[in-house]
């Protein structure tokens, strides 16, 4: 009895099996049938089982595209039932995968960066997931800089075009001898535009005496343009 009690106590005090070994066991259960085209005997009620199915499907039949060309991951299955199983397992992990057909075979794919990254993490490809996130950050930063530069360039072109048009209108009005009939505010606006062809409307408004807002100076320039067209 003493020996039996010692063995029982040692078994009760023994630490549980490492989780890593359990994950490997579930992975072997899922990889074998998926590689052979059979449905794995794994329940999807537990998160570890869903992760094992997704990882096995990606390792045996999955591929991911170069992040330089875009975000795309796909898993080719042999039967619709297999694809539905993997799709449910992925959905249980928060990964949205769509089902389509290619060469009469079901194919699961994901194109958004969040789903691709999450699938790589659950498949154990953490380095690839980090590289993908780094590439995404670099691409988004470049796109933001490009949009800002394009916007500022377009604004500068529009401002320069408007300034040239306003300057030509001021010259025409003064050349036709209509300057005497202009109000003091319009004469001042014409003189400021001719003296400062590259200044913005806000800067011209600040130079006016008394100073006026950008909207007021824009109204005066529009009136000069209408007078020049008569």
């Amino acid at each position: 009895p003493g020996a039996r009690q010692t063995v029982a106590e040692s078994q009760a005090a023994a630490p549980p099996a490492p989780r890593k070994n359990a994950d490997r066991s579930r992975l072997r259960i899922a990889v074998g049938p998926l590689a052979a085209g059979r449905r794995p005997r794994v329940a999807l009620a537990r998160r570890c089982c869903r992760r094992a199915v997704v990882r096995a499907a990606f390792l045996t039949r999955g591929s991911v595209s170069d992040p330089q060309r875009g975000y795309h991951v796909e898993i080719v299955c042999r039967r619709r039932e297999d694809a539905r199983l993997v799709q449910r397992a992925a959905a249980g992990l928060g990964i949205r995968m769509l089902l389509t057909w290619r060469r009469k075979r079901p194919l699961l794919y994901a194109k958004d960066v969040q789903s691709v990254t999450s699938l790589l993490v659950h498949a154990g490809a953490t380095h690839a997931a980090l590289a993908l996130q780094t590439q995404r950050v670099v691409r988004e930063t470049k796109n933001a800089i490009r949009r800002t530069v394009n916007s500022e360039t377009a604004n500068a072109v529009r401002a320069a075009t408007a300034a040239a048009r306003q300057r030509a209108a001021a010259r025409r009005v003064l050349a036709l001898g209509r300057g005497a009939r202009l109000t003091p505010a319009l004469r001042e606006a014409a003189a400021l535009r001719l003296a400062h062809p590259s200044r913005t409307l806000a800067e011209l408004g600040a130079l006016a005496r008394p100073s006026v807002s950008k909207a007021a100076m824009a109204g005066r320039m529009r009136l000069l343009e209408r007078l020049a067209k008569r």
Side-chain angles (χ1 to χ4, degrees):
R4 293 196 193 96
Q5 185 177 4
T6 304
V7 173
E9 290 177 354
S10 62
Q11 290 178 353
R19 185 177 178 180
K20 188 174 183 181
N21 294 337
D23 292 342
R24 288 179 178 176
S25 177
R26 295 187 186 95
L27 185 61
R28 286 195 298 270
I29 294 174
V31 167
L34 283 174
R38 301 191 307 273
R39 185 172 181 175
R41 294 176 296 176
V42 178
L44 299 181
R46 301 174 64 180
R47 182 178 179 86
C48 55
C49 297
R50 295 193 294 268
R51 185 176 181 181
V53 170
V54 171
R55 184 179 181 186
F58 178 75
L59 293 178
T60 56
R61 298 184 173 276
S63 62
V64 61
S65 63
D66 186 358
Q68 296 283 352
R69 300 180 179 179
Y71 310 112
H72 182 85
V73 64
E74 62 182 37
I75 298 174
V76 181
C77 302
R78 293 193 177 185
R79 294 191 302 268
R80 179 190 290 268
E81 294 78 9
D82 301 337
R84 292 295 185 187
L85 175 68
V86 177
Q87 189 179 34
R88 289 198 304 272
L93 297 173
I95 305 171
R96 183 173 178 268
M97 301 196 73
L98 302 178
L99 176 61
T100 186
W101 291 82
R102 179 189 295 170
R103 299 176 182 175
K104 299 182 180 181
R105 286 196 174 185
L107 181 142
L108 294 171
Y109 70 94
K111 286 183 174 295
D112 60 291
V113 62
Q114 203 66 30
S115 296
V116 175
T117 304
S118 181
L119 191 144
L120 291 176
V121 170
H122 286 295
T126 54
H127 292 290
L130 290 175
L132 186 65
Q133 289 287 5
T134 303
Q135 182 64 31
R136 180 180 67 86
V137 171
V138 171
R139 178 178 295 181
E140 290 180 354
T141 303
K142 287 183 178 180
N143 290 338
I145 294 174
R146 191 177 296 110
R147 285 193 299 268
T148 302
V149 171
N150 291 341
S151 177
E152 292 180 355
T153 302
N155 291 337
V157 170
R158 283 195 297 268
T161 303
R165 188 177 63 248
Q166 294 161 5
R167 190 179 184 188
R171 282 179 175 176
R172 179 174 174 79
V173 169
L174 297 178
L176 292 177
R178 299 175 182 173
R181 293 182 295 175
L182 295 178
T183 62
L186 289 180
R187 283 199 301 270
E188 183 185 37
L192 287 173
R193 176 49 75 193
L194 292 175
H196 308 283
S198 61
R199 295 291 184 91
T200 64
L201 292 176
E203 292 171 344
L204 293 181
L207 293 175
R209 291 295 178 267
S211 61
V212 297
S213 63
K214 175 182 177 181
M217 184 58 67
R220 295 177 184 180
M221 292 300 173
R222 285 194 296 269
L223 185 55
L224 284 174
E225 292 182 25
R226 286 198 297 268
L227 291 174
K229 293 179 180 178
R230 292 180 181 176

